[in-house]
Amino acid sequence: IGKSPDNIRLYYDEILPNLKKAVFKHLQLSIEDFQICFGSNASEFFSRVVDTVKPESILIAENEFISSQRYATIRRLEGAEIHTVSLYKNEQIKRFPIPPNTDLVIFSHVDSSTQVCINRDEMEMILDTIKPECTVVIDIVQSFFNVPVDWSTILQDRPNVFLIGSMIKHSRCGEGNAFIVYHKTNKLEPKSGWTAYLSGLQSNITSTTDKLLYDERYKWNGGTPCNIRNTYIAWKTLELAPSISSQHSYVMNLHSYFKQESKLKCVDELRRTESDYCSNTMCFWCDESVKELIYNLEKSGITGIDYKSVCDKAANRYIIRIGMGIHNLKSDIDLLIFRLREAGFISASND
């Protein structure tokens, strides 16, 4: 599926509408109330929101992913105030003050480094403390196709909230498949690209002298579609996939078996003990040998388990992330535990 005129029409007339239905099904959102725009990557949507809001005061979660940190830094260099809040801890998230005059809040549903997941009550608490005129961006790149969430009930009366996500992580649909979701009553007029007003192409109009024009369904779009093939694959993958709830339940059983046999405790063990509302990726503290450990694991013949090392600068320690999915079997976990024992990551004292 290339970029011939026929396939561009296929992209807009068939692929995107069906991908929208599939994404909304997994986010538990209604097409009647919410809108979605697709793009090349999550960063472009962060940039577009920041350029549109032009915030003078930003509240951003500590250790937020580098993409949103970068755009906050750009605004700081332009004179905006930047405030931080620590969200991604092992213990329950408590109510925290929002600095006065804050006009943009950015945080993740699932933290990129530790995979700590904000639960439903905590999410409601955070959003309830933010005034309706303040724009909120929730990064769901690590959350989408990972943790089951009924976003419709959370966002229904909050038109100031945007979800920015991607299909490159847990849904494994490849690059070029990011999205921004918002309530149809949101009134922001984004500084978006030429594909935000496709209907104007017929008359060679993209704006008036004093206002950008939009097609509502493409309002936050950028430029030329990035990867039509991967967008098609994403549509078919998400359309046929089991529900996130059923996938999550299966992976939680794998996690329980792994922790029972390994005796290892996750970075967010306390939260996982209290609830299974957590990421499909487990994180464990490690030392600088983590890179060699991952190298050896990747060579060991274990299929379908994802590994990544993260340096937690605040704790001056490393983290190893181990991700599982519905493609994994109990035998994969047995082999993983064997290799971790072989490498000394699981010691005799854990048994």
Side-chain angles (χ1 to χ4, degrees):
I1 301 175
K3 288 186 179 177
S4 69
D6 286 344
N7 286 326
I8 288 291
R9 280 191 286 272
L10 176 69
Y11 176 79
Y12 283 107
D13 294 344
E14 184 173 356
I15 296 176
L16 286 191
N18 283 291
L19 180 58
K20 174 181 178 177
K21 291 177 185 176
V23 172
F24 274 22
K25 177 184 73 173
H26 292 294
L27 291 176
Q28 301 182 53
L29 290 171
S30 67
I31 289 178
E32 291 75 20
D33 296 323
F34 294 91
Q35 189 56 272
I36 185 170
C37 290
F38 296 96
S40 303
N41 53 68
S43 290
E44 72 169 89
F45 289 120
F46 280 111
S47 175
R48 215 160 285 148
V49 170
V50 172
D51 284 346
T52 299
V53 176
K54 285 290 183 188
E56 295 300 324
S57 179
I58 300 174
L59 178 65
I60 185 170
E62 276 184 1
N63 300 321
E64 194 59 32
F65 187 63
I66 190 170
S67 173
S68 49
Q69 282 189 33
R70 185 175 181 85
Y71 293 117
T73 299
I74 290 171
R75 284 301 297 149
R76 180 178 61 79
L77 295 174
E78 294 171 341
E81 294 181 351
I82 309 296
H83 305 275
T84 59
V85 59
S86 179
L87 288 183
Y88 313 117
K89 296 182 177 181
N90 194 15
E91 64 269 18
Q92 184 181 11
I93 295 171
K94 306 294 185 182
R95 186 175 297 274
F96 56 89
I98 306 292
N101 303 319
T102 298
D103 38 21
L104 178 62
V105 175
I106 302 173
F107 65 94
S108 292
H109 178 220
V110 175
D111 177 52
S112 177
S113 297
T114 63
Q115 295 293 294
V116 168
C117 177
I118 297 174
N119 66 36
R120 168 68 187 275
D121 290 341
E122 292 168 334
M123 181 70 71
E124 295 274 11
M125 178 270 293
I126 292 170
L127 295 176
D128 282 346
T129 62
I130 300 171
K131 58 187 180 182
E133 57 269 29
C134 174
T135 299
V136 180
V137 172
I138 304 176
D139 182 336
I140 62 167
V141 170
Q142 292 284 345
S143 164
F144 180 66
F145 231 65
N146 178 2
V147 183
V149 186
D150 180 0
W151 284 108
S152 182
T153 56
I154 294 174
L155 302 183
Q156 187 58 50
D157 297 317
R158 296 186 171 103
N160 60 319
V161 179
F162 291 88
L163 304 179
I164 294 180
S166 171
M167 290 170 253
I168 198 172
K169 299 295 183 181
H170 291 273
S171 62
R172 296 175 171 86
C173 292
E175 72 281 353
N177 283 313
F179 56 84
I180 184 169
V181 172
Y182 54 97
H183 200 280
K184 285 183 177 179
T185 59
N186 182 281
K187 300 300 183 183
L188 283 181
E189 297 185 349
K191 295 182 178 179
S192 47
W194 66 268
T195 62
Y197 190 49
L198 289 176
S199 60
L201 293 179
Q202 298 173 353
S203 52
N204 200 28
I205 297 174
T206 58
S207 65
T208 64
T209 56
D210 59 350
K211 185 177 182 180
L212 289 174
L213 301 176
Y214 309 96
D215 295 321
E216 281 300 320
R217 58 180 171 161
Y218 303 134
K219 194 172 182 178
W220 287 86
N221 276 16
T224 303
C226 171
N227 194 324
I228 295 177
R229 287 184 183 87
N230 274 4
T231 308
Y232 176 83
I233 291 169
W235 160 29
K236 291 301 182 181
T237 299
L238 300 187
E239 185 178 62
L240 299 173
S243 70
I244 300 178
S245 293
S246 62
Q247 295 183 59
H248 188 263
S249 177
Y250 177 82
V251 174
M252 289 301 103
N253 287 331
L254 292 180
H255 285 193
S256 295
Y257 178 70
F258 175 85
K259 290 196 290 182
Q260 175 185 321
E261 296 299 312
S262 70
K263 304 298 190 293
L264 292 174
K265 295 188 181 298
C266 297
V267 169
D268 57 341
E269 187 66 27
L270 177 60
R271 296 176 67 86
R272 288 175 182 265
T273 301
E274 294 175 347
S275 170
D276 64 357
Y277 193 88
C278 50
S279 173
N280 285 341
T281 296
M282 295 179 290
C283 291
F284 304 95
W285 294 116
C286 194
D287 57 26
E288 64 274 4
S289 66
V290 63
K291 292 183 179 179
E292 181 181 357
L293 173 62
I294 290 176
Y295 175 75
N296 290 329
L297 287 173
E298 289 176 339
K299 290 197 310 178
S300 65
I302 308 172
T303 58
I305 294 181
D306 301 321
Y307 313 101
K308 185 175 181 180
S309 67
V310 180
C311 180
D312 187 324
K313 294 179 181 178
N316 196 28
R317 287 189 286 185
Y318 288 86
I319 291 171
I320 180 171
R321 292 190 342 201
I322 301 177
M324 302 174 188
I326 58 171
H327 50 277
N328 291 123
L329 303 173
K330 190 176 177 182
S331 57
D332 296 323
I333 309 306
D334 289 332
L335 181 55
L336 173 61
I337 292 171
F338 175 79
R339 295 301 185 194
L340 289 172
R341 282 201 176 99
E342 191 176 52
F345 190 71
I346 300 176
S347 64
S349 61
N350 292 116
D351 296 325

